[in-house]
Amino acid sequence: MKLAFIRSAYGSLRVHPASPGSRLSGLSRRFLPPVGATDSRVILRTASATSSSGTRPKLTIDFGKQPEKEDGSECGSSVSEVIQSTKEAMEALQGRNPAVRPLLAILQAGEDDDVLQINMKMAGKIGLNVTQICLTKECSEDEIVEALLKLNDDPRVHGIYVHLPSTSLTSRVLNALKPEKDVDGITDLNMGRLVRGDLSKGFVPPIASAVLDLLEKHDAPLEGKTVLLVGGGGPLCLALQCLIERNGMVALKSHWNSSILQRQVMQADALVLLDGANVDVPPSWIRPGAAIVCCEPTLDTDEHTFGLSSKSGLGSLTAAYRIHNVVRNCSRWLKEQQYRPWHLHSLKLQPLTPVPSDIEISRAQTPKPVTRLAEEIGLLPEELEAYGRNKAKVQLSLLDRLHSQPDGKYVLVAGITPTPLGEGKSTVTIGLVQAMSAHLKHNSFACLRQPSQGPTFGVKGGAAGGGYAQVIPMEEFNLHLTGDIHAITAANNLVAAAIDARMLHEATQSDKALFNRLVPSVNGVRRFSPIQISRLRRLGIFKTDPAALSPQEISTFVRLDLDPSKITWQRVVDTNDRFLRKITVGQASTEKGQIRETGFDIAVASEIMAILALADSLEDMKNRLARMVVGTSRSGQPVTTEDLGVSGALAVLMKDAIKPTLMQTLEGSPVFVHAGPFANIAHGNSSVLADKLALKLVGRDGFVVTEAGFGADIGMEKFFNIKCRASGLRPNVVVLVATVRALKMHGGGPNVSAGAPLPREYIDENLSLVAGGCRSNLKKQIQIAHLFGVPVVVALNVFKTDTQAEIDLVCQIAKECGASDAVPCHHWAQGGRGSVELAKAVDEAANRPSNFQFLYNTEMPIVEKIRTIAQKVYGADDIELSPEAKSKTDYYNQQGYGSLPICMAKTHLSLSHMPDKKGAPTGFVLPIRDVRASIGAGFIYPLVGTMSTMPGLPTRPCFYDIDLDPVTEEITGLF
């Protein structure tokens, strides 16, 4: 864009402090007003009783020299009153927000500073800033729109005055101007608001306010009198008609060439001349005592434009009203930044019997547009980045806007040790939130993990919930979503590529050649990049001139000297692919013999996923990405992504992924979907940021329900010891999910296998098995929650095969084992209505005092922290470390990582390390095969037994049933 005054990037916004007399150099003399609304001279005069005769001449009004007041017009008192009123509003505004300084931006064609001066003069009396953006006189529509869009998006600007020729104010330009910043009221929306009489969000055009002000100050009251508007047209005329009639006067419109103009003038109690026609009206036409307001043009070289006299009374009064609108708009903006009460519209459910498939239920419900959902829960339009109609990213700036807003209640959903029969934690989470929001009318938010496509196409299927407790659209939820996992995959594999490339180049180049390529000469100058300076400082080299490094310093700087056998970083893919667990890379001749064994993990096992889930800001994520250790040098030193020079690029790849995705449930309750680490090989919880955003949005009396992966011994323990340490948040209550069928298995029921008919024990009533499962696994999981001082409510997810006696028995034993309450839930078949009693129980438990505490002090030795978890959570007698695990523990202590929390990588199918041991096993020693570190994520993770970070596909994966109708594009087979 060609700008004569402000750079096109609008990054170097030149703000003029409010002080009269400030000049802009090198400016031409062209001033172009918006349609009809010009800062023109005004003459307010009361006609005398004298008359003269004569035929109708060329129309000219000439009342001679007008007496001037302090500001050069007859409306000085009006200006003073407006200034005083605005000053009081400004003082009140800054009394509440001392750091706020409203800013008016003037967008014009040409470099004339007269408008700037008159607006700055008014602004100077208030303490408001004014800036001027001068486009070239020949600016195109595209350039105008581009400038407007930048001003729209600039949070520093609280008002925009578009001072352009009427020919430039096209519909596209007017539609580009944000109505909320249109302080001259020229947009169609603001004009419509004025006509309708709704000024709670719009603005009265300043010149219309000025003219009406002068009319109201006429010697004789004009209420009930007739005001004739002569000439002009467009928005100004329309605005004046509305304001005049709203103030009890009658507005008539006429043109200079009207055959009845004389009669109309003679009958009018007030006359407003809107345009610059040179007229000569005989005094005999004007009735005695009539008020006359003349918007008089000043001379200008361009006959199609209005000029502006700096001594113009109407110009000053108009500018005063414009400044008033800016201050008023700043007050509105500040009010909008405050917490907004929810106005959530719930979607109606009509559950069917028998319950249809999940995808049929999802498809039968039409979700609200995500923009409407966002508005209902108090999000601002600028805080939303829509991804289609049904989902959107939410800006982290929300945390700054609502930083003083108290958090709501924090509820964690965990479960008993999972079985192949399924417990339904996601379903309970969604059903609970639907019950709270749609039926109990509490502000409620669900926070869920994004599902990996590995299980979606493998065995488990999707993770959108089920039955009438789902996130919708479920196919969008389960497939791709907003691309976060793809961003993680790209970032993770960029690191892997950087590792192998660096090893190749170090193996095939001298120190000098490496240095010349890593720090290239550009135009004869060699400079370090910022990330390279960071590496130099970590090495203890505090030089910034590449030429100043000694040969030894150059060698230390350029050689990471990674030990191929100690590289811990692997590539990832979001697919269950067992044949990628161990691979060989570098076999092409171009890699010059740099062959090594490595492997793939599933994408959600990447440390970058854990970082995404634990970061509490973009800066925190960037720092964590830089700290990731990818391997060890031959001298035993850790090598990080920052050493590789890639950490900044990782932050760029992840900059959008850090924003949580907003979706909704079947009943229209809000859901944040963000991050998806597995709980058996990572910490298994959705993101800290999603929880923090939701807690601010629900308000003090609202509820945020988040879910921990797998059983309470894994997901819940890591939620408390890892996630709560990172976030600083403390939960109010734990909802522990159980099913009669799963309890029967933990009570000694037979094993089940996928695809085989269920044994009769799981279909027929069997109180003995139910009691056994309750008094073993359920009791143990309740005890684990109590280790952290948090009350527990047991949610019994009811299946149609459960008998009333079995349901009653589970609830009875759960309370005997220390649960605050135990409630059967029917959300799968009934939606939120089926979990109302659970919601009431959670509400009651959340209002009780909580005595939250961590299980261990992070300053304890690594081995002791592992032992504490094994004994107190899993029920082990002790732990046994392999020689490799002992060696790694010593190394991490030596490197200063000993104070990190522990993230156990263990089977989720048992409290022990033995998947077939159900219930609550005792008398075992927990084997620690290896100990690894995720330094960026911020935890040490011991490997218990044989844990795979890459799942495989079964004989009959889920993808056999997934298909697409090419005509309707509908997906079938997802569950």
mmCIF file of all heavy atoms in Angstrom, residues 34 92 180 223 315 406 462 495 506 510 588 590 629 663 783 794 823 825 870 974-975:
data_model
loop_
_atom_site.group_PDB
_atom_site.id
_atom_site.type_symbol
_atom_site.label_atom_id
_atom_site.label_comp_id
_atom_site.label_asym_id
_atom_site.label_seq_id
_atom_site.Cartn_x
_atom_site.Cartn_y
_atom_site.Cartn_z
ATOM 1 N N PRO A 34 -16.458 12.575 4.465
ATOM 2 C CA PRO A 34 -17.367 11.473 4.164
ATOM 3 C C PRO A 34 -18.695 12.004 3.645
ATOM 4 O O PRO A 34 -18.954 13.200 3.730
ATOM 5 C CB PRO A 34 -17.535 10.773 5.519
ATOM 6 C CG PRO A 34 -17.194 11.806 6.520
ATOM 7 C CD PRO A 34 -16.178 12.700 5.879
ATOM 8 N N ALA A 92 -13.654 9.370 34.702
ATOM 9 C CA ALA A 92 -14.260 8.168 35.276
ATOM 10 C C ALA A 92 -13.642 6.916 34.677
ATOM 11 O O ALA A 92 -13.358 5.934 35.374
ATOM 12 C CB ALA A 92 -15.773 8.181 35.042
ATOM 13 N N GLU A 180 -18.111 -1.141 15.302
ATOM 14 C CA GLU A 180 -17.781 -0.812 16.696
ATOM 15 C C GLU A 180 -16.760 0.314 16.808
ATOM 16 O O GLU A 180 -16.631 0.931 17.863
ATOM 17 C CB GLU A 180 -17.241 -2.048 17.415
ATOM 18 C CG GLU A 180 -18.260 -3.149 17.651
ATOM 19 C CD GLU A 180 -18.489 -4.032 16.437
ATOM 20 O OE1 GLU A 180 -17.828 -3.800 15.400
ATOM 21 O OE2 GLU A 180 -19.311 -4.953 16.523
ATOM 22 N N GLU A 223 -39.455 22.564 20.214
ATOM 23 C CA GLU A 223 -40.255 21.351 20.348
ATOM 24 C C GLU A 223 -41.627 21.571 19.715
ATOM 25 O O GLU A 223 -42.310 22.566 19.976
ATOM 26 C CB GLU A 223 -40.407 20.982 21.818
ATOM 27 C CG GLU A 223 -41.103 19.651 22.014
ATOM 28 C CD GLU A 223 -41.121 19.220 23.468
ATOM 29 O OE1 GLU A 223 -40.492 19.906 24.295
ATOM 30 O OE2 GLU A 223 -41.766 18.203 23.771
ATOM 31 N N GLY A 315 -17.112 22.942 12.879
ATOM 32 C CA GLY A 315 -15.969 22.034 12.844
ATOM 33 C C GLY A 315 -15.503 21.684 14.234
ATOM 34 O O GLY A 315 -15.245 20.519 14.549
ATOM 35 N N PRO A 406 -12.634 -14.878 39.068
ATOM 36 C CA PRO A 406 -12.407 -16.088 39.867
ATOM 37 C C PRO A 406 -12.716 -17.350 39.079
ATOM 38 O O PRO A 406 -13.601 -17.360 38.223
ATOM 39 C CB PRO A 406 -13.360 -15.921 41.059
ATOM 40 C CG PRO A 406 -14.378 -14.926 40.626
ATOM 41 C CD PRO A 406 -13.705 -14.028 39.635
ATOM 42 N N GLY A 462 -13.458 -44.286 18.240
ATOM 43 C CA GLY A 462 -13.341 -42.870 18.582
ATOM 44 C C GLY A 462 -13.461 -42.603 20.061
ATOM 45 O O GLY A 462 -13.585 -43.515 20.878
ATOM 46 N N VAL A 495 12.565 -32.453 14.054
ATOM 47 C CA VAL A 495 13.664 -32.696 14.988
ATOM 48 C C VAL A 495 14.448 -33.937 14.565
ATOM 49 O O VAL A 495 15.693 -33.936 14.541
ATOM 50 C CB VAL A 495 13.136 -32.865 16.427
ATOM 51 C CG1 VAL A 495 14.278 -33.223 17.379
ATOM 52 C CG2 VAL A 495 12.445 -31.597 16.895
ATOM 53 N N GLU A 506 28.464 -33.375 10.420
ATOM 54 C CA GLU A 506 29.621 -33.378 11.323
ATOM 55 C C GLU A 506 30.600 -34.495 10.954
ATOM 56 O O GLU A 506 31.818 -34.347 11.127
ATOM 57 C CB GLU A 506 29.155 -33.529 12.773
ATOM 58 C CG GLU A 506 28.501 -32.281 13.334
ATOM 59 C CD GLU A 506 28.232 -32.377 14.827
ATOM 60 O OE1 GLU A 506 28.934 -33.172 15.508
ATOM 61 O OE2 GLU A 506 27.332 -31.666 15.317
ATOM 62 N N SER A 510 35.007 -30.638 8.017
ATOM 63 C CA SER A 510 35.956 -30.120 9.012
ATOM 64 C C SER A 510 35.273 -29.062 9.861
ATOM 65 O O SER A 510 34.190 -28.573 9.524
ATOM 66 C CB SER A 510 37.163 -29.501 8.313
ATOM 67 O OG SER A 510 36.762 -28.348 7.557
ATOM 68 N N ALA A 588 20.784 -45.372 2.154
ATOM 69 C CA ALA A 588 21.080 -44.903 0.796
ATOM 70 C C ALA A 588 22.545 -44.493 0.705
ATOM 71 O O ALA A 588 23.151 -44.045 1.685
ATOM 72 C CB ALA A 588 20.176 -43.726 0.447
ATOM 73 N N THR A 590 23.786 -41.968 -0.586
ATOM 74 C CA THR A 590 23.972 -40.527 -0.370
ATOM 75 C C THR A 590 24.199 -40.187 1.105
ATOM 76 O O THR A 590 24.643 -39.091 1.428
ATOM 77 C CB THR A 590 22.737 -39.761 -0.870
ATOM 78 O OG1 THR A 590 21.558 -40.350 -0.308
ATOM 79 C CG2 THR A 590 22.646 -39.808 -2.389
ATOM 80 N N VAL A 629 15.530 -32.757 25.316
ATOM 81 C CA VAL A 629 16.795 -33.461 25.122
ATOM 82 C C VAL A 629 16.583 -34.574 24.108
ATOM 83 O O VAL A 629 15.711 -35.425 24.287
ATOM 84 C CB VAL A 629 17.325 -34.019 26.453
ATOM 85 C CG1 VAL A 629 18.569 -34.879 26.220
ATOM 86 C CG2 VAL A 629 17.638 -32.883 27.421
ATOM 87 N N MET A 663 -15.859 -26.973 20.782
ATOM 88 C CA MET A 663 -16.941 -27.727 20.149
ATOM 89 C C MET A 663 -18.124 -27.764 21.113
ATOM 90 O O MET A 663 -18.165 -26.988 22.069
ATOM 91 C CB MET A 663 -16.457 -29.133 19.769
ATOM 92 C CG MET A 663 -15.372 -29.139 18.705
ATOM 93 S SD MET A 663 -14.974 -30.797 18.087
ATOM 94 C CE MET A 663 -16.394 -31.122 17.034
ATOM 95 N N GLN A 783 -9.386 -45.089 47.590
ATOM 96 C CA GLN A 783 -8.301 -44.809 48.530
ATOM 97 C C GLN A 783 -7.200 -43.974 47.865
ATOM 98 O O GLN A 783 -6.607 -43.102 48.504
ATOM 99 C CB GLN A 783 -7.726 -46.111 49.065
ATOM 100 C CG GLN A 783 -8.664 -46.863 50.000
ATOM 101 C CD GLN A 783 -8.143 -48.252 50.367
ATOM 102 O OE1 GLN A 783 -7.232 -48.780 49.708
ATOM 103 N NE2 GLN A 783 -8.731 -48.847 51.400
ATOM 104 N N VAL A 794 -18.750 -41.627 43.188
ATOM 105 C CA VAL A 794 -18.716 -42.754 42.255
ATOM 106 C C VAL A 794 -19.887 -42.633 41.287
ATOM 107 O O VAL A 794 -21.041 -42.458 41.699
ATOM 108 C CB VAL A 794 -18.766 -44.104 43.001
ATOM 109 C CG1 VAL A 794 -18.963 -45.259 42.018
ATOM 110 C CG2 VAL A 794 -17.486 -44.304 43.802
ATOM 111 N N VAL A 823 -23.786 -42.790 42.574
ATOM 112 C CA VAL A 823 -25.012 -42.502 41.837
ATOM 113 C C VAL A 823 -25.042 -43.293 40.529
ATOM 114 O O VAL A 823 -24.084 -43.264 39.764
ATOM 115 C CB VAL A 823 -25.100 -40.989 41.509
ATOM 116 C CG1 VAL A 823 -26.420 -40.673 40.825
ATOM 117 C CG2 VAL A 823 -24.920 -40.147 42.755
ATOM 118 N N CYS A 825 -26.003 -43.759 36.675
ATOM 119 C CA CYS A 825 -26.132 -42.772 35.596
ATOM 120 C C CYS A 825 -26.713 -43.431 34.349
ATOM 121 O O CYS A 825 -26.319 -44.536 33.989
ATOM 122 C CB CYS A 825 -24.760 -42.180 35.256
ATOM 123 S SG CYS A 825 -23.904 -41.497 36.670
ATOM 124 N N ALA A 870 4.785 -46.640 43.611
ATOM 125 C CA ALA A 870 4.596 -48.093 43.525
ATOM 126 C C ALA A 870 3.905 -48.645 44.760
ATOM 127 O O ALA A 870 3.003 -49.488 44.673
ATOM 128 C CB ALA A 870 5.939 -48.775 43.310
ATOM 129 N N LEU A 974 -17.989 -45.162 11.980
ATOM 130 C CA LEU A 974 -17.260 -44.611 13.126
ATOM 131 C C LEU A 974 -18.058 -44.872 14.401
ATOM 132 O O LEU A 974 -19.291 -44.847 14.399
ATOM 133 C CB LEU A 974 -17.054 -43.106 12.973
ATOM 134 C CG LEU A 974 -15.871 -42.637 12.127
ATOM 135 C CD1 LEU A 974 -15.875 -41.116 12.058
ATOM 136 C CD2 LEU A 974 -14.563 -43.131 12.700
ATOM 137 N N PHE A 975 -17.361 -45.115 15.489
ATOM 138 C CA PHE A 975 -18.048 -45.274 16.774
ATOM 139 C C PHE A 975 -17.142 -44.782 17.883
ATOM 140 O O PHE A 975 -15.946 -44.553 17.679
ATOM 141 C CB PHE A 975 -18.443 -46.736 17.020
ATOM 142 C CG PHE A 975 -17.278 -47.664 17.205
ATOM 143 C CD1 PHE A 975 -16.814 -47.957 18.485
ATOM 144 C CD2 PHE A 975 -16.621 -48.245 16.125
ATOM 145 C CE1 PHE A 975 -15.747 -48.817 18.674
ATOM 146 C CE2 PHE A 975 -15.558 -49.116 16.307
ATOM 147 C CZ PHE A 975 -15.118 -49.405 17.577
#
